[in-house]
Amino acid sequence: MINFQRIVRRREFTVLVLILILSAIFSFTTERFLSVSNITNLLLQLSGVAITAIGMTMVIITGGIDVSAGSTLGMACVVSGYLLMGGYSPFLALVLAVLVGLGIGFVNGAIIVWGDVPPIIATLGMMNLIRALMFQTLGGRWISGIPPACRTIGLGKWLGVPIPMWIATFLIIVFSYFLSYRPLGRHIYAVGNNPEAARVSGVNLKSTIIFVYALTGALAGFAGLINAARTGIVQTNSGMGFELDVIAAVVLGGTSALGGRGTIIGSLLGAFLVGIIKNGMVLLNVPALSEGLVIGALIIISVLADIIRARRETR
Amino acid sequence: METTILECREISKSFGGVRALKKVDFSLRQGEVHALVGENGAGKSTLIRIISGALLPDEGEIWYGGQKVEITSPRLAQGMGISAVYQDPLIYPYLSVVENIFLGREIKTPRGNIDWKRQEEKAQELFASLNIAPHFLRQPMGELSVGLQQLVLIAKALAYESQVIIFDEPTAILTEHEAERLFQIIETLREQGVGIIYISHRLEEIFQIADRVTVMRDGEVVGDYPLSAVNREMIVELMAGKHLVEEIEHGGEKSEQPVLVVKNLTKKGKFEDISFEAFQGEILAFSGLVGSGRTDVAQAIFGIISPDSGEIYYRGEKFKVHSPRHAMEQGIAYLPEDRKSQGLFPILSVSYNITVSILRQITNHLGIVNTRKEREIAEKYVKELSIRTPGLEAKVFSLSGGNQQKVVLAKWLGVNPRILILDEPTRGIDVAAKAEVHQMIAQLVERGIVVIIISSELPEVLKLADRVIVMHEGKITGVFEGEDISSTNLVRAATGERVLPGKSD
């Protein structure tokens, strides 16, 4: 039997209702919201966030954070942009973009685990460092005019849905399964809820933490390739602020900032919520300032709700 | 005769149905060093927490300076002139000594700024009254030795013009030299008319500095004597008391060869020269006071801390343990003393908590966890240990303490251990659950698991153990078997007397 009360009380349900309400409002107040081109655009924009949010969800479940995801995406854009322009196969670009992200994520994890550096500090340093490297590489110029033949992965459609969204969906299913059914995936929750008990229970803390950062890096790298292929342009500020959208999606989607709980599906819904708010406000011609106001307020409310719940439980 | 400064009348306190204090009377005179002794759980700390305002009594009265008072917070107690110096000094390591002394009670200029000059002068005075030359006033507190940190806290107590100072195991962390200095300071304080409550497990110290001693046992005062009227033996007898315990019989048969042999295991500052053997078919208990190093020895065997020297032999072979995971793979399990910090994942489900350690053993060839098997295992242990829970998916924090403990136990039984180390297995759980856990332990021995228990509760040790090793300040001070397992023997060894048969020095 389905327990409706339990479903209603979940964060995912609240977010879904919010999405439906906002969609309804935007489709009545604007003409373009429900148009095919707008929805395609919306899905394209949020697919990168959704893909990276898979890793970020795991990072935040362990009680950490990764603010270097935007720079990582940017660096992957640069690498794949050069390769695509140079006539190399899109497949090679894909592999290298993912590898670059993986490398950055691994270094993040290593600094956190072996250096005992707080995640926010380690990844903040990495964020600046990678951004500076990007600037160095591009030398103040930008890449444009990536040949259309290489851009299928960013622009193509299948059954009317953009390919990046198909990729995001596939990865979300795979990694949701991973979190529920693989020992390593399950251990991520243990590490987040009580690291000391996890260690005593035989969980390898260090490799678990390195894994989640490396995965987040790799996924941000993948999103970088998609981004380069979609827009056809790579600039020094590519991916700037992207990490904030990803973190917002994860936190709104119910992953506890205190660690120990969260789902990837929740983060997908969070990504939709953030995407729809941004998209709708542009269509309504609301100044960009209020967008931050709404998303910021939502983040604070959702974290407060999380903390109030935790307080009630420990009592 | 000096006047009585503090008097507790018929103080009672319960925690969740367990009576921690039963109509306790306690009085302290001016200029008196009054020692408070008793086993772990005798109620000493509950009493001093009530006196220092950290706890409120359920019943009874406190009289202070001739008036009936209610001490509702530590801050209020300090303001009234009651200060406590705890075993681990509570300090702000990055702030200077002067700041540590005056924090929250700063001396201010008329404009409300901190008057650094006067604070420093006042600090000088305070240390002078303790006969200490304070060359360290501007240093960060964390750079001082623990002995000096303690002195700063005493100075802080004097800054509050304390009439009563409580010392909780003050010498446990001090070198011999530092302890001597402390005794001189206590002597000075006594001459100034301060009343001192002195808690220590080192009975020889008490004979050195105290005027009076109150002995507590099971939440009651069992004796209040001038030091001149008692000797060590009497105090030990009073602390140990008569425990009516029904021993639990188990059908385990002791193996010929030991399963675990520990030789000269040493970890600096934790334990020293620990040697013992553990056999199949018997319950080996580690007794002694909290902080005597028993937990550290267990954690060294389980790979949580790595010893400096010494050897461990397991199933006849030399055994070097790298990590808890390695120990587990080799069949050693450890139920930690503090289930909240080391045992449980409170916001995760009962089923998750039980199976977290064995997920890798129930995966198929693709590395996917077999969830049906997982549910079966969780169900099996919930039934076997009669864990009372609304369901396998219930979050563990919603269970009672006893059932939470059973969940942790289930996790360790799940790994099918050869050796099971149980650190304070019944701490903080109710009487019924405790009896169940004891029965379970007996069954485990029958099944052939080598059981090692660490327990601070004498009745528990008397009830369960076939052999007892007593530790005191990191060393083994007693080994008892059969008839020799008596509360008096255990207390003697736990308070530092060496009671090693044929090994005395």
Coordinates of all heavy atoms in Angstrom, one line a residue, chain A residues 6 177 180-191 193-204 207-208 256 259-261 309-310 312-315, chain B residues 302-304 324-325 328 334 336 339-348 351-352 355-357 359-360 363 366-371 374 393 395 397 411-412:
Chain A
R6 N 3.4 9.8 4.1 CA 4.9 9.8 4.0 C 5.4 10.5 2.8 O 6.3 11.2 2.8 CB 5.4 8.4 4.1 CG 6.1 8.1 5.4 CD 6.5 6.7 5.5 NE 7.9 6.5 5.0 CZ 8.5 5.4 5.1 NH1 7.9 4.3 5.5 NH2 9.8 5.3 4.7
Y177 N 20.6 4.6 -8.4 CA 20.8 3.1 -8.2 C 22.1 2.9 -7.4 O 22.1 2.1 -6.4 CB 20.8 2.4 -9.5 CG 20.7 0.9 -9.4 CD1 19.4 0.3 -9.2 CD2 21.8 0.1 -9.6 CE1 19.3 -1.0 -9.0 CE2 21.6 -1.3 -9.4 CZ 20.4 -1.8 -9.2 OH 20.3 -3.2 -9.1
S180 N 21.7 3.7 -3.7 CA 20.9 2.8 -2.9 C 21.4 1.4 -2.9 O 21.2 0.6 -1.9 CB 19.5 2.7 -3.5 OG 18.9 4.0 -3.6
Y181 N 22.1 0.9 -3.9 CA 22.4 -0.5 -4.0 C 23.9 -0.9 -4.0 O 24.2 -2.1 -3.9 CB 21.8 -1.1 -5.2 CG 20.3 -1.1 -5.1 CD1 19.5 -0.1 -5.7 CD2 19.6 -2.0 -4.3 CE1 18.1 -0.1 -5.6 CE2 18.2 -2.0 -4.2 CZ 17.5 -1.1 -4.8 OH 16.1 -1.1 -4.7
R182 N 24.8 0.1 -4.0 CA 26.2 -0.3 -4.0 C 26.7 0.0 -2.6 O 26.4 1.0 -2.0 CB 27.0 0.5 -5.0 CG 26.7 0.2 -6.4 CD 27.2 -1.1 -6.9 NE 28.7 -1.2 -6.9 CZ 29.4 -1.9 -7.7 NH1 28.8 -2.6 -8.6 NH2 30.7 -1.9 -7.5
P183 N 27.6 -0.9 -2.0 CA 28.1 -0.6 -0.7 C 28.7 0.8 -0.6 O 28.4 1.6 0.3 CB 29.2 -1.7 -0.5 CG 28.7 -2.8 -1.4 CD 28.0 -2.2 -2.5
L184 N 29.5 1.2 -1.6 CA 30.2 2.5 -1.5 C 29.1 3.6 -1.5 O 29.3 4.6 -0.7 CB 31.1 2.7 -2.8 CG 31.8 4.1 -2.9 CD1 32.7 4.3 -1.6 CD2 32.7 4.1 -4.1
G185 N 28.1 3.5 -2.3 CA 27.0 4.5 -2.3 C 26.4 4.6 -1.0 O 26.1 5.7 -0.4
R186 N 26.1 3.4 -0.4 CA 25.4 3.4 0.9 C 26.3 4.0 2.0 O 25.9 4.7 3.0 CB 25.0 2.0 1.3 CG 24.1 1.4 0.3 CD 22.7 1.8 0.5 NE 22.3 1.2 1.8 CZ 21.7 0.1 2.0 NH1 21.3 -0.6 1.0 NH2 21.4 -0.3 3.2
H187 N 27.6 3.7 1.9 CA 28.6 4.3 2.9 C 28.6 5.8 2.9 O 29.0 6.4 4.0 CB 30.0 3.7 2.7 CG 30.1 2.2 3.0 ND1 31.1 1.4 2.6 CD2 29.3 1.5 3.8 CE1 30.9 0.2 3.0 NE2 29.8 0.2 3.8
I188 N 28.3 6.4 1.8 CA 28.3 7.9 1.7 C 27.4 8.5 2.8 O 27.8 9.4 3.5 CB 28.0 8.4 0.3 CG1 29.1 8.0 -0.6 CG2 27.7 9.9 0.3 CD1 28.7 8.2 -2.1
Y189 N 26.3 7.9 3.0 CA 25.3 8.4 4.0 C 25.9 8.2 5.4 O 25.8 9.1 6.3 CB 24.0 7.6 4.0 CG 23.2 8.0 2.7 CD1 23.2 7.2 1.6 CD2 22.3 9.1 2.7 CE1 22.5 7.5 0.5 CE2 21.6 9.4 1.6 CZ 21.7 8.6 0.5 OH 20.9 9.0 -0.6
A190 N 26.6 7.0 5.6 CA 27.2 6.8 7.0 C 28.2 7.8 7.3 O 28.3 8.4 8.4 CB 27.7 5.4 7.0
V191 N 29.1 8.1 6.3 CA 30.1 9.1 6.5 C 29.5 10.5 6.8 O 30.1 11.2 7.7 CB 31.0 9.2 5.2 CG1 31.9 10.4 5.3 CG2 31.8 7.9 5.0
N193 N 26.5 11.1 8.2 CA 25.7 11.1 9.4 C 26.7 11.1 10.7 O 26.4 11.8 11.6 CB 24.7 10.0 9.5 CG 23.8 10.1 10.7 OD1 23.3 9.1 11.2 ND2 23.7 11.3 11.3
N194 N 27.7 10.2 10.6 CA 28.6 10.1 11.8 C 29.9 9.5 11.3 O 30.1 8.3 11.4 CB 27.9 9.2 12.8 CG 28.6 9.1 14.1 OD1 29.8 9.5 14.2 ND2 28.0 8.6 15.2
P195 N 30.8 10.4 10.9 CA 32.1 9.9 10.4 C 32.9 9.0 11.3 O 33.4 8.0 10.9 CB 32.9 11.2 10.1 CG 32.1 12.3 10.7 CD 30.7 11.8 10.9
E196 N 32.9 9.3 12.6 CA 33.6 8.5 13.6 C 33.0 7.1 13.6 O 33.7 6.1 13.6 CB 33.6 9.2 14.9 CG 34.3 8.5 16.0 CD 35.8 8.3 15.7 OE1 36.3 9.0 14.8 OE2 36.4 7.5 16.4
A197 N 31.7 7.0 13.7 CA 31.0 5.7 13.8 C 31.3 4.9 12.4 O 31.4 3.7 12.4 CB 29.5 5.8 14.0
A198 N 31.3 5.7 11.3 CA 31.5 5.0 10.0 C 32.9 4.4 10.0 O 33.1 3.2 9.6 CB 31.5 6.1 8.9
R199 N 33.9 5.1 10.6 CA 35.3 4.5 10.6 C 35.3 3.3 11.5 O 35.8 2.2 11.1 CB 36.2 5.6 11.2 CG 37.7 5.3 10.9 CD 38.5 6.5 11.3 NE 38.5 6.8 12.7 CZ 39.5 6.4 13.5 NH1 40.5 5.7 13.0 NH2 39.5 6.6 14.8
V200 N 34.6 3.4 12.7 CA 34.6 2.2 13.6 C 33.8 1.1 12.9 O 34.1 -0.1 13.2 CB 34.0 2.7 14.9 CG1 33.8 1.5 15.8 CG2 35.0 3.6 15.6
S201 N 32.9 1.4 12.1 CA 32.1 0.3 11.4 C 32.8 -0.3 10.2 O 32.3 -1.1 9.5 CB 30.7 0.9 11.0 OG 30.0 1.4 12.1
G202 N 34.0 0.2 10.0 CA 34.8 -0.4 8.9 C 34.7 0.2 7.5 O 35.0 -0.3 6.5
V203 N 34.1 1.5 7.5 CA 34.0 2.2 6.3 C 35.3 2.9 6.0 O 35.9 3.5 6.9 CB 32.9 3.2 6.3 CG1 32.9 4.1 5.1 CG2 31.5 2.5 6.5
N204 N 35.8 2.9 4.8 CA 37.1 3.6 4.5 C 36.7 5.1 4.2 O 36.3 5.4 3.1 CB 37.7 3.0 3.2 CG 39.1 3.5 3.1 OD1 39.4 4.6 3.4 ND2 40.0 2.7 2.5
S207 N 38.8 7.1 1.2 CA 38.5 6.8 -0.2 C 37.1 7.2 -0.5 O 36.8 7.6 -1.6 CB 38.8 5.4 -0.5 OG 38.1 4.5 0.3
T208 N 36.2 7.1 0.5 CA 34.8 7.5 0.2 C 34.7 9.0 -0.1 O 34.1 9.4 -1.1 CB 33.9 7.2 1.4 OG1 34.1 5.9 1.8 CG2 32.4 7.5 1.1
S256 N 20.4 17.4 3.1 CA 20.7 18.1 4.3 C 22.1 18.7 4.3 O 23.1 18.1 4.1 CB 20.6 17.1 5.5 OG 21.1 17.8 6.7
G259 N 24.5 17.0 6.4 CA 25.0 15.7 6.0 C 24.1 14.6 6.4 O 23.2 14.7 7.2
G260 N 24.3 13.4 5.7 CA 23.6 12.2 6.1 C 22.3 11.9 5.4 O 21.8 10.8 5.4
R261 N 21.7 12.9 4.7 CA 20.5 12.6 3.9 C 20.4 13.4 2.7 O 20.9 14.5 2.6 CB 19.3 12.6 4.8 CG 18.9 13.9 5.3 CD 17.6 13.8 6.1 NE 17.8 14.5 7.4 CZ 17.2 14.1 8.5 NH1 16.5 13.0 8.6 NH2 17.4 14.8 9.6
R309 N 14.1 20.5 11.7 CA 13.8 19.1 11.7 C 14.9 18.3 12.6 O 14.6 17.5 13.4 CB 13.8 18.5 10.3 CG 13.7 16.9 10.3 CD 13.3 16.4 9.0 NE 14.4 16.6 8.1 CZ 14.5 16.0 6.9 NH1 13.5 15.2 6.5 NH2 15.5 16.2 6.0
A310 N 16.2 18.7 12.3 CA 17.3 18.0 13.0 C 17.2 18.3 14.5 O 17.4 17.4 15.3 CB 18.6 18.5 12.5
R312 N 14.4 18.9 16.2 CA 13.3 18.1 16.8 C 13.8 16.7 17.0 O 13.4 16.0 17.9 CB 12.1 18.2 15.8 CG 10.8 18.0 16.5 CD 9.7 18.1 15.5 NE 9.6 19.4 14.9 CZ 9.2 19.5 13.6 NH1 8.9 18.5 12.8 NH2 9.2 20.7 13.0
E313 N 14.6 16.2 16.1 CA 15.0 14.7 16.2 C 15.9 14.5 17.3 O 15.9 13.4 17.9 CB 15.6 14.3 14.9 CG 14.6 14.1 13.8 CD 15.2 13.8 12.5 OE1 16.5 13.8 12.4 OE2 14.5 13.6 11.5
T314 N 16.8 15.4 17.6 CA 17.8 15.1 18.6 C 17.2 15.3 20.0 O 17.9 15.0 21.0 CB 19.1 16.1 18.5 OG1 18.6 17.4 18.2 CG2 19.9 15.6 17.3
R315 N 16.1 16.0 20.1 CA 15.5 16.2 21.4 C 15.0 14.9 22.0 O 14.6 14.0 21.4 CB 14.3 17.2 21.3 CG 14.0 17.8 22.6 CD 13.1 18.9 22.4 NE 13.7 20.0 21.7 CZ 13.0 20.9 21.0 NH1 11.7 20.8 20.9 NH2 13.6 21.9 20.4
Chain B
F302 N 41.6 -3.2 18.2 CA 40.7 -3.0 17.1 C 41.2 -2.1 16.0 O 40.6 -1.9 15.0 CB 39.4 -2.5 17.6 CG 38.3 -2.5 16.6 CD1 37.8 -3.7 16.1 CD2 37.6 -1.3 16.2 CE1 36.8 -3.7 15.1 CE2 36.6 -1.3 15.3 CZ 36.2 -2.5 14.8
G303 N 42.4 -1.5 16.2 CA 43.0 -0.7 15.1 C 42.6 0.7 15.1 O 42.9 1.4 14.1
I304 N 41.9 1.2 16.1 CA 41.5 2.6 16.1 C 42.7 3.5 16.5 O 42.9 4.6 16.0 CB 40.3 2.9 17.0 CG1 39.1 2.1 16.5 CG2 40.0 4.4 17.1 CD1 37.9 2.3 17.4
P324 N 40.3 -0.3 11.7 CA 39.1 -1.1 12.1 C 38.6 -2.0 11.1 O 38.2 -3.2 11.4 CB 38.1 0.0 12.4 CG 38.9 1.3 12.7 CD 40.1 1.1 11.9
R325 N 38.7 -1.6 9.8 CA 38.2 -2.5 8.8 C 39.0 -3.8 8.7 O 38.4 -4.9 8.5 CB 38.3 -1.7 7.5 CG 37.6 -2.5 6.3 CD 37.4 -1.5 5.2 NE 37.2 -2.3 4.0 CZ 37.2 -1.7 2.8 NH1 37.3 -0.3 2.8 NH2 37.1 -2.4 1.7
M328 N 38.1 -6.0 11.6 CA 36.8 -6.6 11.3 C 36.9 -7.8 10.4 O 36.3 -8.9 10.6 CB 35.8 -5.6 10.7 CG 34.9 -5.0 11.7 SD 34.1 -3.7 10.9 CE 33.5 -4.4 9.4
Y334 N 34.3 -4.6 17.8 CA 34.4 -3.7 19.0 C 33.2 -2.9 19.1 O 32.9 -2.1 18.2 CB 35.7 -2.8 18.9 CG 35.7 -1.7 19.9 CD1 35.9 -2.0 21.2 CD2 35.6 -0.4 19.5 CE1 36.0 -1.0 22.2 CE2 35.7 0.7 20.4 CZ 35.9 0.4 21.8 OH 36.0 1.4 22.7
P336 N 31.7 0.2 20.7 CA 32.3 1.3 21.4 C 31.5 1.7 22.6 O 30.3 1.5 22.7 CB 32.3 2.4 20.4 CG 31.4 2.0 19.3 CD 31.1 0.5 19.4
R339 N 28.0 5.0 22.4 CA 27.3 4.6 21.2 C 26.9 5.8 20.3 O 26.7 5.7 19.1 CB 26.1 3.7 21.5 CG 25.0 4.4 22.3 CD 23.8 3.6 22.4 NE 22.9 4.2 23.4 CZ 22.9 4.0 24.7 NH1 23.7 3.1 25.2 NH2 22.1 4.7 25.5
K340 N 26.7 6.9 20.9 CA 26.2 8.1 20.2 C 27.3 8.5 19.2 O 27.1 8.8 18.1 CB 25.9 9.2 21.1 CG 24.5 9.0 21.8 CD 23.7 10.3 21.7 CE 22.3 10.1 22.0 NZ 22.0 9.4 23.2
S341 N 28.6 8.6 19.7 CA 29.6 9.2 18.8 C 30.3 8.1 18.0 O 30.7 8.4 16.9 CB 30.7 10.0 19.6 OG 31.5 9.0 20.3
Q342 N 30.4 6.9 18.4 CA 31.1 5.9 17.6 C 30.3 4.7 17.1 O 30.8 3.9 16.3 CB 32.3 5.3 18.4 CG 33.4 6.4 18.7 CD 34.6 5.7 19.2 OE1 34.6 4.9 20.1 NE2 35.8 6.1 18.7
G343 N 29.0 4.7 17.6 CA 28.3 3.5 17.2 C 27.1 3.7 16.3 O 26.9 2.8 15.4
L344 N 26.4 4.8 16.4 CA 25.2 4.9 15.7 C 25.1 5.9 14.5 O 25.9 6.9 14.6 CB 24.1 5.3 16.7 CG 23.6 4.2 17.6 CD1 22.6 4.8 18.6 CD2 22.9 3.0 16.9
F345 N 24.2 5.6 13.6 CA 23.9 6.6 12.6 C 22.5 7.0 12.9 O 21.5 6.4 12.3 CB 24.1 6.0 11.2 CG 25.4 5.5 11.0 CD1 25.7 4.1 11.0 CD2 26.5 6.3 10.7 CE1 27.0 3.6 10.9 CE2 27.8 5.9 10.5 CZ 28.0 4.5 10.6
P346 N 22.3 8.0 13.7 CA 20.9 8.3 14.3 C 19.9 8.6 13.3 O 18.7 8.2 13.5 CB 21.2 9.5 15.2 CG 22.5 10.0 14.9 CD 23.3 8.9 14.3
I347 N 20.2 9.3 12.2 CA 19.1 9.7 11.3 C 18.9 8.6 10.2 O 18.2 8.8 9.2 CB 19.4 11.1 10.6 CG1 20.6 11.1 9.8 CG2 19.4 12.2 11.7 CD1 20.7 12.4 8.9
L348 N 19.6 7.5 10.3 CA 19.4 6.5 9.3 C 18.6 5.3 9.9 O 18.4 5.3 11.1 CB 20.8 6.0 8.8 CG 21.6 7.1 8.1 CD1 23.0 6.6 7.7 CD2 20.9 7.7 6.9
S351 N 17.5 -0.8 9.9 CA 18.1 -1.8 9.0 C 19.4 -1.3 8.5 O 20.4 -2.1 8.4 CB 17.1 -2.0 7.8 OG 17.7 -2.4 6.7
Y352 N 19.5 -0.1 8.1 CA 20.8 0.5 7.6 C 21.9 0.3 8.7 O 23.0 -0.1 8.5 CB 20.7 1.9 7.3 CG 21.9 2.6 6.7 CD1 22.0 2.8 5.3 CD2 23.0 2.9 7.5 CE1 23.2 3.3 4.8 CE2 24.1 3.5 7.0 CZ 24.2 3.7 5.6 OH 25.3 4.2 5.1
T355 N 23.2 -3.3 9.1 CA 23.9 -3.9 8.0 C 25.1 -3.1 7.4 O 25.8 -3.6 6.5 CB 22.9 -4.3 6.8 OG1 22.3 -3.1 6.4 CG2 21.9 -5.3 7.2
V356 N 25.3 -1.9 7.9 CA 26.3 -1.1 7.3 C 27.7 -1.7 7.2 O 28.4 -1.5 6.2 CB 26.4 0.3 8.0 CG1 26.8 0.1 9.5 CG2 27.4 1.2 7.3
S357 N 28.0 -2.6 8.2 CA 29.4 -3.2 8.2 C 29.5 -4.4 7.3 O 30.6 -4.8 7.0 CB 29.8 -3.6 9.6 OG 30.0 -2.4 10.4
L359 N 27.7 -4.8 4.2 CA 27.2 -4.6 2.8 C 28.0 -5.3 1.8 O 27.5 -5.9 0.9 CB 27.1 -3.1 2.5 CG 26.1 -2.3 3.3 CD1 26.1 -0.9 2.9 CD2 24.7 -2.9 3.0
R360 N 29.3 -5.3 1.9 CA 30.2 -5.9 0.9 C 30.0 -7.4 0.9 O 30.4 -8.1 -0.1 CB 31.6 -5.5 1.1 CG 32.0 -4.2 0.7 CD 33.4 -3.8 1.1 NE 33.5 -2.3 1.3 CZ 33.6 -1.5 0.3 NH1 33.6 -1.9 -0.9 NH2 33.6 -0.2 0.6
T363 N 26.7 -8.7 -1.5 CA 26.5 -8.2 -2.8 C 26.6 -9.4 -3.8 O 27.2 -10.4 -3.5 CB 27.6 -7.2 -3.2 OG1 28.9 -7.8 -2.9 CG2 27.5 -5.9 -2.4
L366 N 27.9 -8.5 -9.4 CA 28.0 -7.2 -10.0 C 28.3 -6.1 -8.9 O 28.4 -4.9 -9.2 CB 26.8 -6.8 -10.8 CG 26.6 -7.6 -12.1 CD1 25.2 -7.2 -12.6 CD2 27.6 -7.2 -13.1
G367 N 28.4 -6.6 -7.7 CA 28.6 -5.6 -6.6 C 27.4 -4.9 -6.2 O 27.5 -3.8 -5.6
I368 N 26.2 -5.5 -6.5 CA 25.0 -4.8 -6.1 C 24.5 -5.5 -4.8 O 24.5 -6.7 -4.7 CB 23.9 -5.1 -7.2 CG1 24.4 -4.5 -8.5 CG2 22.6 -4.5 -6.8 CD1 24.6 -3.0 -8.5
V369 N 24.1 -4.6 -3.8 CA 23.6 -5.2 -2.6 C 22.3 -5.9 -2.7 O 21.4 -5.5 -3.4 CB 23.4 -4.0 -1.5 CG1 22.8 -4.5 -0.3 CG2 24.7 -3.3 -1.3
N370 N 22.3 -7.1 -2.2 CA 21.1 -7.9 -2.2 C 20.2 -7.5 -1.1 O 20.3 -7.8 0.0 CB 21.5 -9.4 -2.0 CG 20.3 -10.3 -2.1 OD1 19.1 -9.9 -1.9 ND2 20.6 -11.6 -2.4
T371 N 19.2 -6.7 -1.5 CA 18.4 -6.0 -0.5 C 17.5 -7.0 0.2 O 17.1 -6.8 1.4 CB 17.5 -4.9 -1.1 OG1 16.9 -5.4 -2.3 CG2 18.3 -3.6 -1.3
E374 N 19.6 -8.4 2.9 CA 19.8 -7.4 3.9 C 18.6 -7.3 4.8 O 18.8 -7.2 6.0 CB 20.0 -6.0 3.1 CG 20.4 -4.9 4.0 CD 20.4 -3.6 3.3 OE1 20.1 -3.5 2.1 OE2 20.6 -2.6 4.0
E393 N 12.5 0.3 9.0 CA 12.8 1.6 8.4 C 12.8 2.7 9.4 O 13.0 3.9 9.0 CB 11.8 1.9 7.2 CG 12.1 1.0 6.0 CD 13.5 0.9 5.6 OE1 14.2 2.0 5.5 OE2 14.0 -0.2 5.3
K395 N 13.8 5.4 12.0 CA 15.1 6.0 12.3 C 15.6 5.7 13.7 O 14.8 5.6 14.6 CB 15.0 7.6 12.2 CG 14.4 8.0 10.9 CD 15.5 8.3 9.8 CE 15.0 8.4 8.5 NZ 14.3 9.7 8.2
F397 N 17.2 7.2 16.0 CA 17.1 8.2 17.1 C 15.8 8.0 17.8 O 15.7 8.5 18.9 CB 17.4 9.6 16.6 CG 16.3 10.1 15.7 CD1 15.1 10.7 16.3 CD2 16.4 10.1 14.4 CE1 14.1 11.2 15.5 CE2 15.4 10.6 13.6 CZ 14.3 11.1 14.1
K411 N 24.7 -5.0 14.8 CA 25.7 -4.7 13.8 C 26.9 -5.6 13.9 O 27.4 -6.2 13.0 CB 26.1 -3.2 13.8 CG 27.2 -2.9 12.9 CD 27.4 -1.4 12.7 CE 28.0 -0.8 14.0 NZ 28.2 0.6 13.9
W412 N 27.4 -5.7 15.2 CA 28.7 -6.4 15.4 C 28.5 -7.9 15.3 O 29.4 -8.6 14.9 CB 29.3 -6.0 16.7 CG 29.8 -4.6 16.6 CD1 29.4 -3.5 17.3 CD2 30.7 -4.1 15.6 NE1 30.0 -2.4 16.8 CE2 30.8 -2.7 15.8 CE3 31.4 -4.6 14.5 CZ2 31.6 -1.9 15.0 CZ3 32.2 -3.8 13.7 CH2 32.3 -2.5 14.0

